[in-house]
Amino acid sequence: MAKLNRKQIAWRVAQDIPEGAYVNLGIGAPEMVANYLPDDREVIIHSENGLLGMGPTPTPGEEDPDLINAGKKPVTLLDGGSISHHTDSFAMIRGGHIDICVLGAFQVAQNGDLANWATLDNSRPPGVGGAMDLAVGAKDVFVITDHCTRDGQPKLLNQCSYPLTGTAVVTRVYSDHALIDVRDNSFIVREIADGISSDQLSDMTGTALTFADDCTVLKTPEL
Amino acid sequence: MAKLNRKQIAWRVAQDIPEGAYVNLGIGAPEMVANYLPDDREVIIHSENGLLGMGPTPTPGEEDPDLINAGKKPVTLLDGGSISHHTDSFAMIRGGHIDICVLGAFQVAQNGDLANWATLDNSRPPGVGGAMDLAVGAKDVFVITDHCTRDGQPKLLNQCSYPLTGTAVVTRVYSDHALIDVRDNSFIVREIADGISSDQLSDMTGTALTFADDCTVLKTPEL
Amino acid sequence: MIDKRVYDFDAALEGMKDGATIMSAGFGAAGAPQELLEAVLDRGYRDLVIISNNAGEGERGLIKLLKERRIAKVICSFPTSSNSEITKELYSAGLLELEIVPQGTMSERMRAGGAGIGGFYTRTSVNTPLAEGKEVRNIDGDDYVLEYPLKAEFAFIKAREADRWGNLTYNLSARGFGPTMAMAAETTIVQVDRFVELGEIDPEQVITPGIYVDRVMEVEAS
Amino acid sequence: MIDKRVYDFDAALEGMKDGATIMSAGFGAAGAPQELLEAVLDRGYRDLVIISNNAGEGERGLIKLLKERRIAKVICSFPTSSNSEITKELYSAGLLELEIVPQGTMSERMRAGGAGIGGFYTRTSVNTPLAEGKEVRNIDGDDYVLEYPLKAEFAFIKAREADRWGNLTYNLSARGFGPTMAMAAETTIVQVDRFVELGEIDPEQVITPGIYVDRVMEVEAS
């Protein structure tokens, strides 16, 4: 059984980002997607704090504390990049101008509901950041997630039990076991990791899966 | 009987614009106010089409068709001037950041209602421009107007008969006969042109006037 | 490679059709995309709905379209200018529909369309004929009118510089409605004075980021 | 002569008081007005209500105010950072009130406050706990939540350059919430890297026009 590691999931997402797309990459694992975009593909990355055309991490010593991404890490701007203030940056998000955003998730429901900002643990201060804006604003919401929690609970469910980020927003899930479209109130498995059976995947999922007729093996390089 | 000419009315308004005020001058007679601001007084003039810190008319030959005022006439920018797009420019107006706007009027009512955008003549296309935004947005709305229409009808009334621009917005009227505050549902005469009696002014007005205890002569230079 | 540059009006106007709704930037002649509008005229499109601050001025652009009776309706704040008799004539003859919107409300409605705002409350036009039939709501003691977003199929914009990503700068008060209309249209078409290389515009001086722009064309003033 | 420049923190903070509501720009440390916040700390003000994207980060500014228990409440989108334990501790102990607002809604609410918008409808947060108790309205088939403007007595901003009229430029992503907060506060106080002469900033490159700025002070990074 060969589940994907985080880099491989990020690589797989990157292959689906088309030339010319405006893409917002969430904090954490989604940020890694930028590392695996094909060299010949021009993609414009948006960061909620006002960057459009974000470039790679600067070489050590070249960091500018005033040029950071949503995760507050130093970044660069590509030629053609631009700066906007926060309200203008969120107008891009909320106005439907971002083609794809890639987010992490605690839970995803088969109707596309997303829970990724708060758990049921009230001792921790909640924090939402730009997640709710991205969830409703981006044309496509891709989720990167492990198929199950660390203690084996499914994260793909009939219905989310955690507080929602948005309803009916997720369009595709990239898990460590499969690539799954969310459509017509169903999880439709498009690609499944090598060595994982349909039954095994179903056992790890909290609701019924539909397997596409042309469901193939989810292939990634070693990373 | 010495009524004021337009230049004299504009001069009188200009004396009431304090140092540091952000001021929007409407198209037509209000534009002339800029010509009479005291030389030692720094006032920042806003034009609805995105200019802040508007300067005087350019010298002939120096006009830029892309640097015009709300009346579409060539202007200049002072040092410290800035450009904004239309929505940002109207955010200044509507957000209450303009201290004073000076507008023309067809009619003003004693409660401060203003009618200055449409008559009852339906054959002419109506046009409102930024008048309704300025009327509600500016902290003070000063009106420059003749006291009566060309055919002798009063323009200061108990109630406007023309379509309104805004309700309870005018704070002061500068007419060719008097300077009148609009307060507590009353026209309060502060200054009256030389040679005009209270009775004469009342006869030209479509509602009762209150004369301030310290009402003085409205003095202007010859212009 | 992303390349939003086009080199002729046919490419610039791809998808244009009779009955299209077009936002046309410009305040008077400043920032008016005259050549794009005239290319629409040349190609015979009609029954157009125009969203523009003025229903034409002078002899160019919208005035030409009005004279040729290509425009069914104009949504604007101030239709006439001292030098635009045709607008008055068509309106008086019942041949031109006008929808009058306060200038700030018009601009804010377009921003709402571009920014995903479903509606907003403004004090502008309360108790006036322009608020007739609209919902009024008292918020903290003041009455506000509910206004809805304004969108369009096309925006026509005139800018100073564009790069191949569609980033724009403008010239002085020709900025006007350009940045807002660019957000609010499905397809934003820009005529620019000159193309520049990617990276030539300082990231802090980009006024309209390319995300809002579909096509840019270098057009010499005619 | 209009001159918004001040030369010490006492002049910059004139009118500050216990219980004041302060918008503090900055996203993480970028654009955070640390020295202004610390001047508030030094002067002993308490029971402050802070509006800021984060409830502090690192060791400066808001974190110092939190450690000294000067802040009663923070309105923010994301209170904690990897390096801000104090926020979690105070919250867990019931010593800090937090109001969580989606980042785009927070920004838009401040813009509404600055632009005279009485309220607006957004899809953000519909059907989530952050929309609880709020009016929901279906517009053209989608549900929207009604949000109201957010204003404050003071805005603290960090900018790059300022002239005596208060025109501002910013450094890269330190722009952040600055331009919006400047619009939304009664008194906007700006710490800048350097003063420039009137006219040195190109009129097209002014990001925050002086109309939104009350005081500017040159502050060396400390």
Side-chain angles (χ1 to χ4, degrees), chain C residues 108 111 118-121 135 137 160 170 172 175 204-205, chain D residues 108 111 118-121 135 137 160 170 172 175 204-205:
Chain C
E108 189 73 22
R111 180 187 179 273
F120 61 88
Y121 291 96
E135 180 179 321
R137 185 181 190 117
R160 186 170 55 199
Y170 297 85
L172 297 164
R175 188 182 297 186
E204 296 187 340
Q205 293 172 25
Chain D
E108 189 72 22
R111 179 186 179 274
F120 62 89
Y121 290 97
E135 179 180 320
R137 185 182 191 116
R160 186 170 55 199
Y170 296 86
L172 294 164
R175 190 182 296 186
E204 295 187 340
Q205 293 171 25

PDB file of all heavy atoms in Angstrom, chain C residues 108 111 118-121 135 137 160 170 172 175 204-205, chain D residues 108 111 118-121 135 137 160 170 172 175 204-205:
ATOM      1  N   GLU C 108     -19.803  52.806  -7.040  1.00  0.00           N
ATOM      2  CA  GLU C 108     -19.831  51.823  -5.950  1.00  0.00           C
ATOM      3  C   GLU C 108     -20.556  50.549  -6.376  1.00  0.00           C
ATOM      4  O   GLU C 108     -20.184  49.444  -5.968  1.00  0.00           O
ATOM      5  CB  GLU C 108     -20.512  52.439  -4.719  1.00  0.00           C
ATOM      6  CG  GLU C 108     -20.413  51.611  -3.451  1.00  0.00           C
ATOM      7  CD  GLU C 108     -19.027  51.606  -2.821  1.00  0.00           C
ATOM      8  OE1 GLU C 108     -18.220  52.524  -3.078  1.00  0.00           O
ATOM      9  OE2 GLU C 108     -18.732  50.643  -2.077  1.00  0.00           O
ATOM     10  N   ARG C 111     -18.095  48.611  -8.333  1.00  0.00           N
ATOM     11  CA  ARG C 111     -17.136  47.976  -7.419  1.00  0.00           C
ATOM     12  C   ARG C 111     -17.757  46.759  -6.752  1.00  0.00           C
ATOM     13  O   ARG C 111     -17.124  45.708  -6.625  1.00  0.00           O
ATOM     14  CB  ARG C 111     -16.666  48.955  -6.345  1.00  0.00           C
ATOM     15  CG  ARG C 111     -15.680  48.277  -5.399  1.00  0.00           C
ATOM     16  CD  ARG C 111     -15.285  49.108  -4.206  1.00  0.00           C
ATOM     17  NE  ARG C 111     -14.358  48.332  -3.378  1.00  0.00           N
ATOM     18  CZ  ARG C 111     -14.737  47.480  -2.433  1.00  0.00           C
ATOM     19  NH1 ARG C 111     -16.021  47.313  -2.159  1.00  0.00           N
ATOM     20  NH2 ARG C 111     -13.837  46.788  -1.749  1.00  0.00           N
ATOM     21  N   GLY C 118     -23.052  41.612  -2.602  1.00  0.00           N
ATOM     22  CA  GLY C 118     -24.382  41.347  -3.136  1.00  0.00           C
ATOM     23  C   GLY C 118     -25.297  42.561  -3.150  1.00  0.00           C
ATOM     24  O   GLY C 118     -26.299  42.597  -3.863  1.00  0.00           O
ATOM     25  N   GLY C 119     -24.963  43.549  -2.365  1.00  0.00           N
ATOM     26  CA  GLY C 119     -25.749  44.775  -2.273  1.00  0.00           C
ATOM     27  C   GLY C 119     -25.162  45.606  -1.145  1.00  0.00           C
ATOM     28  O   GLY C 119     -24.416  45.079  -0.312  1.00  0.00           O
ATOM     29  N   PHE C 120     -25.485  46.897  -1.153  1.00  0.00           N
ATOM     30  CA  PHE C 120     -24.958  47.766  -0.093  1.00  0.00           C
ATOM     31  C   PHE C 120     -25.931  48.891   0.180  1.00  0.00           C
ATOM     32  O   PHE C 120     -26.769  49.228  -0.662  1.00  0.00           O
ATOM     33  CB  PHE C 120     -23.576  48.322  -0.471  1.00  0.00           C
ATOM     34  CG  PHE C 120     -23.586  49.166  -1.711  1.00  0.00           C
ATOM     35  CD1 PHE C 120     -23.838  50.539  -1.638  1.00  0.00           C
ATOM     36  CD2 PHE C 120     -23.359  48.608  -2.963  1.00  0.00           C
ATOM     37  CE1 PHE C 120     -23.865  51.323  -2.776  1.00  0.00           C
ATOM     38  CE2 PHE C 120     -23.388  49.388  -4.121  1.00  0.00           C
ATOM     39  CZ  PHE C 120     -23.641  50.745  -4.024  1.00  0.00           C
ATOM     40  N   TYR C 121     -25.812  49.463   1.350  1.00  0.00           N
ATOM     41  CA  TYR C 121     -26.677  50.558   1.762  1.00  0.00           C
ATOM     42  C   TYR C 121     -25.927  51.881   1.682  1.00  0.00           C
ATOM     43  O   TYR C 121     -24.818  51.991   2.201  1.00  0.00           O
ATOM     44  CB  TYR C 121     -27.171  50.323   3.195  1.00  0.00           C
ATOM     45  CG  TYR C 121     -28.138  49.163   3.282  1.00  0.00           C
ATOM     46  CD1 TYR C 121     -27.705  47.889   3.647  1.00  0.00           C
ATOM     47  CD2 TYR C 121     -29.480  49.346   2.964  1.00  0.00           C
ATOM     48  CE1 TYR C 121     -28.598  46.821   3.704  1.00  0.00           C
ATOM     49  CE2 TYR C 121     -30.371  48.285   3.026  1.00  0.00           C
ATOM     50  CZ  TYR C 121     -29.925  47.030   3.396  1.00  0.00           C
ATOM     51  OH  TYR C 121     -30.813  45.981   3.447  1.00  0.00           O
ATOM     52  N   GLU C 135     -35.524  49.705  -1.613  1.00  0.00           N
ATOM     53  CA  GLU C 135     -35.649  49.450  -0.191  1.00  0.00           C
ATOM     54  C   GLU C 135     -34.870  50.490   0.602  1.00  0.00           C
ATOM     55  O   GLU C 135     -33.718  50.783   0.288  1.00  0.00           O
ATOM     56  CB  GLU C 135     -35.111  48.042   0.104  1.00  0.00           C
ATOM     57  CG  GLU C 135     -35.186  47.668   1.559  1.00  0.00           C
ATOM     58  CD  GLU C 135     -34.650  46.249   1.788  1.00  0.00           C
ATOM     59  OE1 GLU C 135     -34.905  45.361   0.954  1.00  0.00           O
ATOM     60  OE2 GLU C 135     -33.953  46.059   2.797  1.00  0.00           O
ATOM     61  N   ARG C 137     -33.634  51.562   4.551  1.00  0.00           N
ATOM     62  CA  ARG C 137     -33.421  50.944   5.848  1.00  0.00           C
ATOM     63  C   ARG C 137     -32.768  51.964   6.765  1.00  0.00           C
ATOM     64  O   ARG C 137     -31.832  52.652   6.359  1.00  0.00           O
ATOM     65  CB  ARG C 137     -32.483  49.753   5.649  1.00  0.00           C
ATOM     66  CG  ARG C 137     -32.235  48.914   6.877  1.00  0.00           C
ATOM     67  CD  ARG C 137     -31.261  47.808   6.497  1.00  0.00           C
ATOM     68  NE  ARG C 137     -31.145  46.820   7.529  1.00  0.00           N
ATOM     69  CZ  ARG C 137     -31.487  45.549   7.408  1.00  0.00           C
ATOM     70  NH1 ARG C 137     -31.966  45.087   6.269  1.00  0.00           N
ATOM     71  NH2 ARG C 137     -31.328  44.705   8.398  1.00  0.00           N
ATOM     72  N   ARG C 160      -2.488  53.981 -19.940  1.00  0.00           N
ATOM     73  CA  ARG C 160      -1.230  54.508 -20.467  1.00  0.00           C
ATOM     74  C   ARG C 160      -0.301  53.371 -20.883  1.00  0.00           C
ATOM     75  O   ARG C 160       0.103  53.274 -22.020  1.00  0.00           O
ATOM     76  CB  ARG C 160      -0.556  55.393 -19.416  1.00  0.00           C
ATOM     77  CG  ARG C 160       0.697  56.099 -19.935  1.00  0.00           C
ATOM     78  CD  ARG C 160       1.169  57.147 -18.936  1.00  0.00           C
ATOM     79  NE  ARG C 160       1.388  56.574 -17.622  1.00  0.00           N
ATOM     80  CZ  ARG C 160       1.444  57.267 -16.496  1.00  0.00           C
ATOM     81  NH1 ARG C 160       1.304  58.567 -16.516  1.00  0.00           N
ATOM     82  NH2 ARG C 160       1.649  56.660 -15.344  1.00  0.00           N
ATOM     83  N   TYR C 170      -2.280  54.443 -15.632  1.00  0.00           N
ATOM     84  CA  TYR C 170      -3.142  55.418 -16.298  1.00  0.00           C
ATOM     85  C   TYR C 170      -2.447  56.768 -16.310  1.00  0.00           C
ATOM     86  O   TYR C 170      -1.457  56.969 -15.605  1.00  0.00           O
ATOM     87  CB  TYR C 170      -4.476  55.543 -15.551  1.00  0.00           C
ATOM     88  CG  TYR C 170      -5.289  54.274 -15.520  1.00  0.00           C
ATOM     89  CD1 TYR C 170      -5.073  53.298 -14.558  1.00  0.00           C
ATOM     90  CD2 TYR C 170      -6.284  54.047 -16.460  1.00  0.00           C
ATOM     91  CE1 TYR C 170      -5.823  52.132 -14.523  1.00  0.00           C
ATOM     92  CE2 TYR C 170      -7.051  52.882 -16.428  1.00  0.00           C
ATOM     93  CZ  TYR C 170      -6.804  51.939 -15.464  1.00  0.00           C
ATOM     94  OH  TYR C 170      -7.553  50.782 -15.428  1.00  0.00           O
ATOM     95  N   LEU C 172      -2.922  60.425 -15.158  1.00  0.00           N
ATOM     96  CA  LEU C 172      -3.600  61.447 -14.348  1.00  0.00           C
ATOM     97  C   LEU C 172      -5.095  61.189 -14.172  1.00  0.00           C
ATOM     98  O   LEU C 172      -5.477  60.072 -13.806  1.00  0.00           O
ATOM     99  CB  LEU C 172      -3.303  62.838 -14.939  1.00  0.00           C
ATOM    100  CG  LEU C 172      -1.794  63.201 -14.881  1.00  0.00           C
ATOM    101  CD1 LEU C 172      -1.447  64.364 -15.785  1.00  0.00           C
ATOM    102  CD2 LEU C 172      -1.401  63.507 -13.440  1.00  0.00           C
ATOM    103  N   ARG C 175      -7.558  58.175 -15.165  1.00  0.00           N
ATOM    104  CA  ARG C 175      -7.745  56.929 -14.396  1.00  0.00           C
ATOM    105  C   ARG C 175      -9.243  56.656 -14.215  1.00  0.00           C
ATOM    106  O   ARG C 175      -9.730  55.582 -14.526  1.00  0.00           O
ATOM    107  CB  ARG C 175      -7.042  57.060 -13.045  1.00  0.00           C
ATOM    108  CG  ARG C 175      -7.018  55.770 -12.267  1.00  0.00           C
ATOM    109  CD  ARG C 175      -6.354  55.930 -10.895  1.00  0.00           C
ATOM    110  NE  ARG C 175      -4.945  56.312 -10.960  1.00  0.00           N
ATOM    111  CZ  ARG C 175      -4.142  56.393  -9.890  1.00  0.00           C
ATOM    112  NH1 ARG C 175      -4.618  56.115  -8.686  1.00  0.00           N
ATOM    113  NH2 ARG C 175      -2.884  56.754 -10.013  1.00  0.00           N
ATOM    114  N   GLU C 204       4.548  48.402  -7.097  1.00  0.00           N
ATOM    115  CA  GLU C 204       3.760  49.305  -6.246  1.00  0.00           C
ATOM    116  C   GLU C 204       2.997  50.335  -7.065  1.00  0.00           C
ATOM    117  O   GLU C 204       2.169  51.052  -6.526  1.00  0.00           O
ATOM    118  CB  GLU C 204       4.665  50.013  -5.246  1.00  0.00           C
ATOM    119  CG  GLU C 204       5.301  49.038  -4.272  1.00  0.00           C
ATOM    120  CD  GLU C 204       6.068  49.736  -3.181  1.00  0.00           C
ATOM    121  OE1 GLU C 204       6.432  50.902  -3.365  1.00  0.00           O
ATOM    122  OE2 GLU C 204       6.312  49.095  -2.144  1.00  0.00           O
ATOM    123  N   GLN C 205       3.297  50.424  -8.340  1.00  0.00           N
ATOM    124  CA  GLN C 205       2.660  51.453  -9.173  1.00  0.00           C
ATOM    125  C   GLN C 205       1.686  50.874 -10.185  1.00  0.00           C
ATOM    126  O   GLN C 205       1.166  51.601 -11.030  1.00  0.00           O
ATOM    127  CB  GLN C 205       3.730  52.283  -9.864  1.00  0.00           C
ATOM    128  CG  GLN C 205       4.520  53.090  -8.837  1.00  0.00           C
ATOM    129  CD  GLN C 205       5.724  53.782  -9.421  1.00  0.00           C
ATOM    130  OE1 GLN C 205       5.759  54.053 -10.603  1.00  0.00           O
ATOM    131  NE2 GLN C 205       6.701  54.049  -8.582  1.00  0.00           N
TER     132      GLN C 205
ATOM    133  N   GLU D 108     -13.382  44.696   4.462  1.00  0.00           N
ATOM    134  CA  GLU D 108     -14.516  45.339   3.783  1.00  0.00           C
ATOM    135  C   GLU D 108     -15.356  46.150   4.767  1.00  0.00           C
ATOM    136  O   GLU D 108     -15.885  47.206   4.405  1.00  0.00           O
ATOM    137  CB  GLU D 108     -15.366  44.265   3.094  1.00  0.00           C
ATOM    138  CG  GLU D 108     -16.443  44.791   2.171  1.00  0.00           C
ATOM    139  CD  GLU D 108     -15.923  45.398   0.865  1.00  0.00           C
ATOM    140  OE1 GLU D 108     -14.787  45.062   0.443  1.00  0.00           O
ATOM    141  OE2 GLU D 108     -16.642  46.212   0.272  1.00  0.00           O
ATOM    142  N   ARG D 111     -13.546  49.347   5.211  1.00  0.00           N
ATOM    143  CA  ARG D 111     -13.763  50.193   4.037  1.00  0.00           C
ATOM    144  C   ARG D 111     -15.156  50.822   4.082  1.00  0.00           C
ATOM    145  O   ARG D 111     -15.322  52.009   3.800  1.00  0.00           O
ATOM    146  CB  ARG D 111     -13.611  49.405   2.736  1.00  0.00           C
ATOM    147  CG  ARG D 111     -13.856  50.293   1.526  1.00  0.00           C
ATOM    148  CD  ARG D 111     -13.874  49.587   0.205  1.00  0.00           C
ATOM    149  NE  ARG D 111     -14.149  50.559  -0.840  1.00  0.00           N
ATOM    150  CZ  ARG D 111     -15.359  50.948  -1.233  1.00  0.00           C
ATOM    151  NH1 ARG D 111     -16.441  50.431  -0.669  1.00  0.00           N
ATOM    152  NH2 ARG D 111     -15.505  51.850  -2.186  1.00  0.00           N
ATOM    153  N   GLY D 118     -23.529  51.959   4.740  1.00  0.00           N
ATOM    154  CA  GLY D 118     -24.215  51.622   5.980  1.00  0.00           C
ATOM    155  C   GLY D 118     -24.210  50.143   6.312  1.00  0.00           C
ATOM    156  O   GLY D 118     -24.440  49.740   7.456  1.00  0.00           O
ATOM    157  N   GLY D 119     -23.951  49.326   5.328  1.00  0.00           N
ATOM    158  CA  GLY D 119     -23.942  47.878   5.488  1.00  0.00           C
ATOM    159  C   GLY D 119     -23.803  47.252   4.117  1.00  0.00           C
ATOM    160  O   GLY D 119     -24.056  47.921   3.103  1.00  0.00           O
ATOM    161  N   PHE D 120     -23.385  45.993   4.078  1.00  0.00           N
ATOM    162  CA  PHE D 120     -23.229  45.329   2.785  1.00  0.00           C
ATOM    163  C   PHE D 120     -23.467  43.839   2.954  1.00  0.00           C
ATOM    164  O   PHE D 120     -23.350  43.295   4.064  1.00  0.00           O
ATOM    165  CB  PHE D 120     -21.842  45.590   2.185  1.00  0.00           C
ATOM    166  CG  PHE D 120     -20.712  45.066   3.029  1.00  0.00           C
ATOM    167  CD1 PHE D 120     -20.240  43.763   2.878  1.00  0.00           C
ATOM    168  CD2 PHE D 120     -20.122  45.870   3.992  1.00  0.00           C
ATOM    169  CE1 PHE D 120     -19.203  43.276   3.668  1.00  0.00           C
ATOM    170  CE2 PHE D 120     -19.089  45.385   4.796  1.00  0.00           C
ATOM    171  CZ  PHE D 120     -18.626  44.080   4.627  1.00  0.00           C
ATOM    172  N   TYR D 121     -23.802  43.211   1.842  1.00  0.00           N
ATOM    173  CA  TYR D 121     -24.075  41.781   1.841  1.00  0.00           C
ATOM    174  C   TYR D 121     -22.895  41.020   1.255  1.00  0.00           C
ATOM    175  O   TYR D 121     -22.399  41.367   0.174  1.00  0.00           O
ATOM    176  CB  TYR D 121     -25.331  41.489   1.021  1.00  0.00           C
ATOM    177  CG  TYR D 121     -26.577  41.997   1.707  1.00  0.00           C
ATOM    178  CD1 TYR D 121     -27.127  43.220   1.377  1.00  0.00           C
ATOM    179  CD2 TYR D 121     -27.184  41.255   2.723  1.00  0.00           C
ATOM    180  CE1 TYR D 121     -28.260  43.697   2.019  1.00  0.00           C
ATOM    181  CE2 TYR D 121     -28.317  41.727   3.375  1.00  0.00           C
ATOM    182  CZ  TYR D 121     -28.847  42.947   3.021  1.00  0.00           C
ATOM    183  OH  TYR D 121     -29.967  43.411   3.671  1.00  0.00           O
ATOM    184  N   GLU D 135     -28.311  38.788   9.798  1.00  0.00           N
ATOM    185  CA  GLU D 135     -29.345  38.699   8.779  1.00  0.00           C
ATOM    186  C   GLU D 135     -28.783  38.050   7.516  1.00  0.00           C
ATOM    187  O   GLU D 135     -27.702  38.396   7.057  1.00  0.00           O
ATOM    188  CB  GLU D 135     -29.842  40.112   8.464  1.00  0.00           C
ATOM    189  CG  GLU D 135     -30.909  40.156   7.399  1.00  0.00           C
ATOM    190  CD  GLU D 135     -31.364  41.590   7.134  1.00  0.00           C
ATOM    191  OE1 GLU D 135     -31.496  42.355   8.107  1.00  0.00           O
ATOM    192  OE2 GLU D 135     -31.561  41.919   5.957  1.00  0.00           O
ATOM    193  N   ARG D 137     -29.738  37.063   3.481  1.00  0.00           N
ATOM    194  CA  ARG D 137     -30.649  37.479   2.421  1.00  0.00           C
ATOM    195  C   ARG D 137     -30.254  36.778   1.136  1.00  0.00           C
ATOM    196  O   ARG D 137     -29.085  36.691   0.800  1.00  0.00           O
ATOM    197  CB  ARG D 137     -30.501  38.988   2.253  1.00  0.00           C
ATOM    198  CG  ARG D 137     -31.454  39.619   1.273  1.00  0.00           C
ATOM    199  CD  ARG D 137     -31.125  41.108   1.204  1.00  0.00           C
ATOM    200  NE  ARG D 137     -32.139  41.831   0.499  1.00  0.00           N
ATOM    201  CZ  ARG D 137     -32.912  42.768   1.034  1.00  0.00           C
ATOM    202  NH1 ARG D 137     -32.790  43.103   2.282  1.00  0.00           N
ATOM    203  NH2 ARG D 137     -33.805  43.401   0.297  1.00  0.00           N
ATOM    204  N   ARG D 160       6.000  54.307   4.488  1.00  0.00           N
ATOM    205  CA  ARG D 160       7.393  54.560   4.099  1.00  0.00           C
ATOM    206  C   ARG D 160       7.682  56.057   4.090  1.00  0.00           C
ATOM    207  O   ARG D 160       8.556  56.528   4.768  1.00  0.00           O
ATOM    208  CB  ARG D 160       7.663  53.951   2.724  1.00  0.00           C
ATOM    209  CG  ARG D 160       9.115  54.037   2.292  1.00  0.00           C
ATOM    210  CD  ARG D 160       9.365  53.207   1.044  1.00  0.00           C
ATOM    211  NE  ARG D 160       8.460  53.588  -0.029  1.00  0.00           N
ATOM    212  CZ  ARG D 160       8.172  52.835  -1.088  1.00  0.00           C
ATOM    213  NH1 ARG D 160       8.740  51.640  -1.217  1.00  0.00           N
ATOM    214  NH2 ARG D 160       7.331  53.248  -2.004  1.00  0.00           N
ATOM    215  N   TYR D 170       3.863  53.278   0.865  1.00  0.00           N
ATOM    216  CA  TYR D 170       4.147  52.130   1.730  1.00  0.00           C
ATOM    217  C   TYR D 170       5.276  51.300   1.130  1.00  0.00           C
ATOM    218  O   TYR D 170       5.616  51.466  -0.042  1.00  0.00           O
ATOM    219  CB  TYR D 170       2.902  51.260   1.866  1.00  0.00           C
ATOM    220  CG  TYR D 170       1.736  51.939   2.539  1.00  0.00           C
ATOM    221  CD1 TYR D 170       0.847  52.723   1.808  1.00  0.00           C
ATOM    222  CD2 TYR D 170       1.522  51.813   3.901  1.00  0.00           C
ATOM    223  CE1 TYR D 170      -0.225  53.350   2.415  1.00  0.00           C
ATOM    224  CE2 TYR D 170       0.444  52.437   4.517  1.00  0.00           C
ATOM    225  CZ  TYR D 170      -0.428  53.201   3.767  1.00  0.00           C
ATOM    226  OH  TYR D 170      -1.491  53.812   4.384  1.00  0.00           O
ATOM    227  N   LEU D 172       6.077  47.746  -0.143  1.00  0.00           N
ATOM    228  CA  LEU D 172       5.661  46.411  -0.580  1.00  0.00           C
ATOM    229  C   LEU D 172       4.451  45.888   0.189  1.00  0.00           C
ATOM    230  O   LEU D 172       3.454  46.580   0.285  1.00  0.00           O
ATOM    231  CB  LEU D 172       6.883  45.475  -0.503  1.00  0.00           C
ATOM    232  CG  LEU D 172       8.001  45.866  -1.504  1.00  0.00           C
ATOM    233  CD1 LEU D 172       9.314  45.192  -1.158  1.00  0.00           C
ATOM    234  CD2 LEU D 172       7.578  45.565  -2.944  1.00  0.00           C
ATOM    235  N   ARG D 175       1.956  47.461   2.931  1.00  0.00           N
ATOM    236  CA  ARG D 175       0.781  48.285   2.633  1.00  0.00           C
ATOM    237  C   ARG D 175      -0.444  47.766   3.400  1.00  0.00           C
ATOM    238  O   ARG D 175      -1.095  48.519   4.107  1.00  0.00           O
ATOM    239  CB  ARG D 175       0.507  48.273   1.127  1.00  0.00           C
ATOM    240  CG  ARG D 175      -0.536  49.275   0.703  1.00  0.00           C
ATOM    241  CD  ARG D 175      -0.833  49.223  -0.792  1.00  0.00           C
ATOM    242  NE  ARG D 175       0.300  49.572  -1.628  1.00  0.00           N
ATOM    243  CZ  ARG D 175       0.234  49.698  -2.957  1.00  0.00           C
ATOM    244  NH1 ARG D 175      -0.917  49.506  -3.577  1.00  0.00           N
ATOM    245  NH2 ARG D 175       1.304  50.015  -3.661  1.00  0.00           N
ATOM    246  N   GLU D 204       0.430  60.318  -8.861  1.00  0.00           N
ATOM    247  CA  GLU D 204      -0.141  59.024  -9.236  1.00  0.00           C
ATOM    248  C   GLU D 204       0.341  57.909  -8.312  1.00  0.00           C
ATOM    249  O   GLU D 204      -0.143  56.786  -8.391  1.00  0.00           O
ATOM    250  CB  GLU D 204       0.228  58.686 -10.677  1.00  0.00           C
ATOM    251  CG  GLU D 204      -0.400  59.665 -11.662  1.00  0.00           C
ATOM    252  CD  GLU D 204      -0.191  59.258 -13.095  1.00  0.00           C
ATOM    253  OE1 GLU D 204       0.723  58.471 -13.357  1.00  0.00           O
ATOM    254  OE2 GLU D 204      -0.968  59.725 -13.939  1.00  0.00           O
ATOM    255  N   GLN D 205       1.326  58.208  -7.480  1.00  0.00           N
ATOM    256  CA  GLN D 205       1.893  57.158  -6.628  1.00  0.00           C
ATOM    257  C   GLN D 205       1.553  57.344  -5.161  1.00  0.00           C
ATOM    258  O   GLN D 205       2.034  56.603  -4.305  1.00  0.00           O
ATOM    259  CB  GLN D 205       3.404  57.087  -6.842  1.00  0.00           C
ATOM    260  CG  GLN D 205       3.714  56.604  -8.247  1.00  0.00           C
ATOM    261  CD  GLN D 205       5.174  56.710  -8.603  1.00  0.00           C
ATOM    262  OE1 GLN D 205       6.025  56.697  -7.722  1.00  0.00           O
ATOM    263  NE2 GLN D 205       5.466  56.830  -9.881  1.00  0.00           N
TER     264      GLN D 205
END
